[in-house]
Amino acid sequence: MKQNLITDIIQGMLPYLNNAQSKRLQEILQSTFTNYEITSSTVEAKEAEQDFVELFLAAKRIEGCSEKSLKYYEATITTMIKTINKNVKYIVTDDIRGYLTEHQQKKGLSKVTIDNIRRILSSFFSWLEDEDYILKNPVRRIHKVKTGTNIKETYSDETLEIMRDNCNELRDLAIIDMLASTGMRVGEMVLLNRNDIDFNERECIVFGKGSKERIVYFDARTKIHLQNYLESRNDNNPALFVSLKSPHERLKIGGIEARLREFGKKLGLNKVHPHKFRRTLATVAIDKGMPIEQLQQLLGHRKIDTTLQYAMVKQSNVKIAHRKYIG
């Protein structure tokens, strides 16, 4: 109770004190209150507590975060607040550490997932600190969770050809080629319409994360297969890819994922999913000498570090480079 009172006083004085003065005031208050017993008033404030989570989400929405990301942020932050069961102004570093540890053990979460949670909570508390709602971000002293580096699989040329040769539907062949040659996200592909495709330039504009536009390009084979698919359709849906059966509705992410997963099982292929096409394109591009900055633009990554995580350098090329430059 004493610490909560001190925190409230310090927060009220923040606009008038610098960091050194705030620290000194906190020391004086802690020393002064040592010999006093402080109890909370039985009269509760009538005003409802400000909803910090909603304010944070509103700020993120203005910054351009997608609704999908905002829902994930809200669920992550709300779960933390309910579990710790404290006013956010009084949450300290030990509370967050304990929560992350317990949450990982109870849910059996991976280190990557826990670090994502840590990152979201840090963003939330950093925003509260910047807006002077709290004294300092309690997550700041919790460092990034170290995770092992796993070499993620890509499709070989042979695997891609096996998938193409076994496509019984023109639509499925066009989907595979579109994913393989553009490296676009499946979430970007399902939003495309027929009139978004420029067949002359073999390109189209997609809306990436944060509603950012970028141009992606496809090869001649994709152009032919996509044209064949569109010419075979007899529906009026403007969507680029639709369901095979009437009423031919726009395909959703889950529909494409399920179709590819089923396709992979049928052919005995390991882990066939849309994102693997994106990783494959990045790896092939790096392997053939594409500058990382251009690949970053092609994939629509805000940070080049993300691009580097996608692109896996083949070990055979490392060996060749070693012999070339070192001997």
Side-chain angles (χ1 to χ4, degrees):
M1 184 56 63
K2 289 180 184 179
Q3 187 56 50
N4 289 352
L5 179 59
I6 291 172
T7 300
D8 286 340
I9 294 172
I10 297 295
Q11 286 178 339
M13 293 297 294
L14 276 179
Y16 314 103
L17 305 175
N18 58 34
N19 290 338
Q21 291 169 333
S22 296
K23 185 177 180 181
R24 181 57 182 157
L25 176 59
Q26 185 171 3
E27 292 171 352
I28 292 172
L29 290 172
Q30 287 174 336
S31 175
T32 302
F33 289 156
T34 300
N35 299 321
Y36 291 89
E37 188 66 33
I38 299 174
T39 58
S40 60
S41 173
T42 56
V43 180
E44 295 183 356
K46 293 182 180 180
E47 294 81 13
E49 185 185 38
Q50 200 168 18
D51 195 339
F52 294 122
V53 178
E54 285 301 320
L55 290 172
F56 170 72
L57 294 176
K60 286 295 179 183
R61 186 174 284 108
I62 292 173
E63 291 175 10
C65 284
S66 67
E67 289 302 317
K68 182 179 178 181
S69 295
L70 292 174
K71 287 180 180 179
Y72 183 49
Y73 292 167
E74 183 177 18
T76 301
I77 297 167
T78 302
T79 301
M80 178 274 299
I81 293 173
K82 287 181 178 178
T83 303
I84 294 178
N85 195 26
K86 270 188 178 182
N87 186 306
V88 294
K89 295 191 294 184
Y90 307 135
I91 291 176
V92 296
T93 302
D94 286 342
D95 294 326
I96 301 294
R97 281 203 186 102
Y99 167 73
L100 291 175
T101 301
E102 185 178 352
H103 198 55
Q104 182 179 26
Q105 292 173 347
K106 280 187 176 181
K107 302 288 185 179
L109 302 176
S110 68
K111 290 182 178 180
V112 173
T113 302
I114 285 297
D115 194 58
N116 284 337
I117 294 173
R118 179 202 62 81
R119 180 174 48 80
I120 291 170
L121 296 182
S122 182
S123 176
F124 172 59
F125 283 106
S126 290
W127 179 83
L128 290 175
E129 181 182 353
D130 291 341
E131 297 293 324
D132 290 334
Y133 290 124
I134 62 174
L135 289 174
K136 63 179 180 179
N137 175 8
V139 190
R140 183 179 296 144
R141 288 189 292 163
I142 301 177
H143 302 298
K144 176 179 171 60
V145 179
K146 292 183 179 180
T147 57
T149 303
N150 297 322
I151 299 177
K152 296 182 179 179
E153 295 180 3
T154 58
Y155 296 119
S156 65
D157 292 341
E158 182 179 343
T159 299
L160 289 173
E161 289 307 316
I162 289 173
M163 285 192 280
R164 290 187 179 104
D165 289 345
N166 286 275
C167 281
N168 297 322
E169 299 290 344
L170 292 175
R171 184 202 65 179
D172 295 344
L173 180 58
I175 286 175
I176 287 174
D177 280 335
M178 198 69 170
L179 289 171
S181 66
T182 64
M184 69 172 68
R185 302 176 179 93
V186 64
E188 296 167 343
M189 189 172 73
V190 296
L191 296 177
L192 286 173
N193 292 324
R194 302 190 207 200
N195 57 12
D196 291 328
I197 308 299
D198 185 339
F199 284 105
N200 291 328
E201 297 296 328
R202 298 210 309 258
E203 65 184 35
C204 60
I205 296 177
V206 297
F207 289 89
K209 291 184 176 180
S211 298
K212 296 175 183 175
E213 288 187 2
R214 78 176 189 284
I215 300 175
V216 297
Y217 308 93
F218 50 89
D219 56 23
R221 171 165 47 187
T222 302
K223 173 183 176 178
I224 294 171
H225 291 164
L226 192 56
Q227 285 177 326
N228 290 342
Y229 162 62
L230 293 176
E231 289 171 2
S232 71
R233 283 171 54 178
N234 54 15
D235 62 89
N236 296 320
N237 195 321
L240 183 62
F241 293 109
V242 297
S243 58
L244 296 174
K245 297 180 180 179
S246 182
H248 303 294
E249 296 179 340
R250 180 186 294 272
L251 278 182
K252 296 181 180 179
I253 294 174
I256 293 178
E257 289 176 338
R259 184 73 171 182
L260 289 175
R261 188 164 52 246
E262 178 186 339
F263 193 53
K265 287 181 179 179
K266 177 183 175 183
L267 297 176
L269 300 175
N270 187 39
K271 296 180 181 178
V272 176
H273 56 84
H275 208 70
K276 200 170 178 179
F277 289 97
R278 185 169 164 83
R279 194 184 308 126
T280 300
L281 178 135
T283 302
V284 171
I286 288 292
D287 188 40
K288 292 185 176 181
M290 186 177 194
I292 192 69
E293 296 83 3
Q294 293 179 15
L295 180 59
Q296 177 189 7
Q297 180 70 22
L298 186 65
L299 296 177
H301 289 151
R302 187 168 60 89
K303 296 181 179 179
I304 202 165
D305 290 347
T306 309
T307 310
L308 290 170
Q309 291 174 6
Y310 272 71
M312 308 301 295
V313 179
K314 291 183 179 178
Q315 192 62 36
S316 59
N317 287 344
V318 175
K319 184 177 181 179
I320 293 171
H322 180 274
R323 289 179 176 176
K324 178 179 179 181
Y325 295 107
I326 299 175

